Amino acid sequence: MNAGTSHRSARTMLLGLVLVVLASASFGTSGAFAKALLLTGWTPAGVVTWRVGMASLLLVPVAAWAIRGRWHLLPRNAGAVTAFGLVAVAGCQFAYFNAVETLSIAVALLLEYLGSVLVVGWMWARHGRRPSRVTLVGVALSVLGLVLVLDVFSGVQVSWPGVVWGLLAAVGLATFYVSSSHDHEESLPPLALAGFGLGVGAVALVVASATGLIDYGTARESVQIAGLTTAWWVPIAELAVVAATLAYAVGVMGTRLVGATVASFVGLSEVLFAIAVAWLLLDELPGWIQLGGGLLILAGVVAVRLGEETEEDATAGGDDGQDGGRPAYPQVGDGSAESGESGRQADWPAPHPVA
């Protein structure tokens, strides 16, 4: 590799890291702005319906542009798009906003990030892929961190419905990981999956709200953010444009530049951004025990990722090393022509486009 190529690669990596961090910061704002709306009378269903609905109006045209000339891929990936839209987008955000209604933003987001641990169990149960020792250590750290985050030993009253919603959000995040990791010759481009998934989620939320399946409610009162009074549509616009559309778009572009594994680690900064934004805008900060538990959860997630890389290195011992940085996910499909399997392994996606 000559100096010019190396310089371009370094600039590409730097640009990708900047985009991933920007996406994490954008996603990290969602909890604070959503909670400001919830405090004025909005319901979680109302917030998520407006957020996903407006974001889909912006991203579906982008998805159509990304898939131009390859429309045959859409029906072949209908199941993946549906699962992504219903569970990873609509279900995950609905559960997360229900969680922040009764829990601090930090605790709700940390519960959601246990989705990384759920993926380990899914891969073991579904594909028979036994986790490595490092991965199991990460799981144990995350469980211990969960105990501290819930502060079960201090007698503090915990909203257990909020905890259940946070864990349901973790299921949505795990679904995002699994559905996004499918990488074969006939898979959708990332922007198409994100855009059409948002479209499916928006339609489902509108139907559920209109039929009374979920408790849809909005308010037109002014909203208090960082001690300032603003119109209700300002946080809605932030949630749709910044915390959804911008975050999804730059997150996908950044992940493409740095790789999903690197983006996965950098994406953990979303938790730190969320805590900082909640502190600045809502004066909301978890206690020291909960912060310690949060660090254990993050350490556990990092250990899980390192365990995946360790297992990949072990299974790729005799290969040429081209896939050395990727987790050893089972290959997608069964290798048949119908599945469109190309023989590539699925990559671990960045863990941020959900909250």
Side-chain angles (χ1 to χ4, degrees), residues 184-201:
H184 53 87
E185 288 180 347
E186 296 192 342
S187 59
L188 287 173
L191 277 175
L193 177 62
F196 290 128
L198 278 168
V200 170

Side-chain angles (χ1 to χ4, degrees), residues 11-343:
R11 287 193 302 178
T12 298
M13 176 63 72
L14 178 60
L15 175 61
L17 290 174
V18 170
L19 291 176
V20 172
V21 171
L22 176 60
S24 298
S26 300
F27 281 118
T29 65
S30 64
F33 282 91
K35 193 154 192 173
L37 288 167
L38 295 173
L39 291 174
T40 64
W42 285 68
T43 65
V47 175
V48 71
T49 300
W50 275 75
R51 180 192 183 188
V52 175
M54 291 181 64
S56 68
L57 293 177
L58 296 173
L59 269 185
V60 166
V62 177
W65 174 83
I67 203 178
R68 65 195 186 284
R70 294 176 291 171
W71 286 100
H72 65 282
L73 296 178
L74 193 55
R76 296 182 183 181
N77 290 274
V81 172
T82 301
F84 188 90
L86 294 181
V87 183
V89 174
C92 183
Q93 293 186 27
F94 179 64
Y96 174 66
F97 289 152
N98 270 285
V100 301
E101 191 174 28
T102 55
L103 298 174
S104 72
I105 292 168
V107 170
L109 192 57
L110 288 167
L111 289 171
E112 181 184 330
Y113 264 79
L114 288 173
S116 298
V117 177
L118 296 180
V119 173
V120 175
W122 166 259
M123 288 300 176
W124 194 355
R126 178 68 174 83
H127 299 286
R129 206 188 91 198
R130 185 169 184 152
S132 67
R133 291 182 180 178
V134 177
T135 299
L136 291 176
V137 169
V139 173
L141 287 174
S142 294
V143 172
L144 177 59
L146 175 61
V147 172
L148 294 179
V149 163
L150 298 181
D151 208 1
V152 296
F153 298 118
S154 66
V156 174
Q157 293 295 320
V158 176
S159 170
W160 291 108
V163 172
V164 172
W165 282 116
L167 293 176
L168 288 175
V171 174
L173 182 62
T175 303
F176 169 76
Y177 288 155
V178 174
S179 61
S180 298
S181 66
H182 291 175
D183 182 19
H184 53 87
E185 288 180 347
E186 296 192 342
S187 59
L188 287 173
L191 277 175
L193 177 62
F196 290 128
L198 278 168
V200 170
V203 171
L205 287 166
V206 169
V207 171
S209 297
T211 58
L213 185 61
I214 56 178
D215 182 20
Y216 175 86
T218 62
R220 298 297 184 265
E221 284 79 7
S222 299
V223 178
Q224 293 290 326
I225 300 178
L228 301 176
T229 302
T230 184
W232 63 271
W233 56 265
V234 173
I236 285 292
E238 196 282 338
L239 286 169
V241 177
V242 177
T245 305
L246 174 65
Y248 272 98
V250 300
V252 169
M253 291 187 291
T255 301
R256 279 295 180 92
L257 293 176
V258 303
T261 302
V262 174
S264 296
F265 286 101
V266 179
L268 293 173
S269 62
E270 180 188 343
V271 177
L272 303 178
F273 283 117
I275 293 175
V277 172
W279 184 23
L280 292 174
L281 299 187
L282 302 178
D283 196 24
E284 180 181 284
L285 192 66
W288 288 108
I289 293 179
Q290 291 180 321
L291 286 174
L295 290 177
L296 283 178
I297 289 178
L298 294 181
V301 172
V302 170
V304 167
R305 303 292 168 80
L306 291 175
E308 300 299 328
E309 290 189 80
T310 300
E311 186 174 342
E312 168 66 12
D313 291 339
T315 56
D319 296 339
D320 59 8
Q322 289 181 348
D323 294 329
R326 293 186 176 187
Y329 270 96
Q331 292 184 357
V332 181
D334 58 4
S336 65
E338 181 179 352
S339 69
E341 176 58 48
S342 67

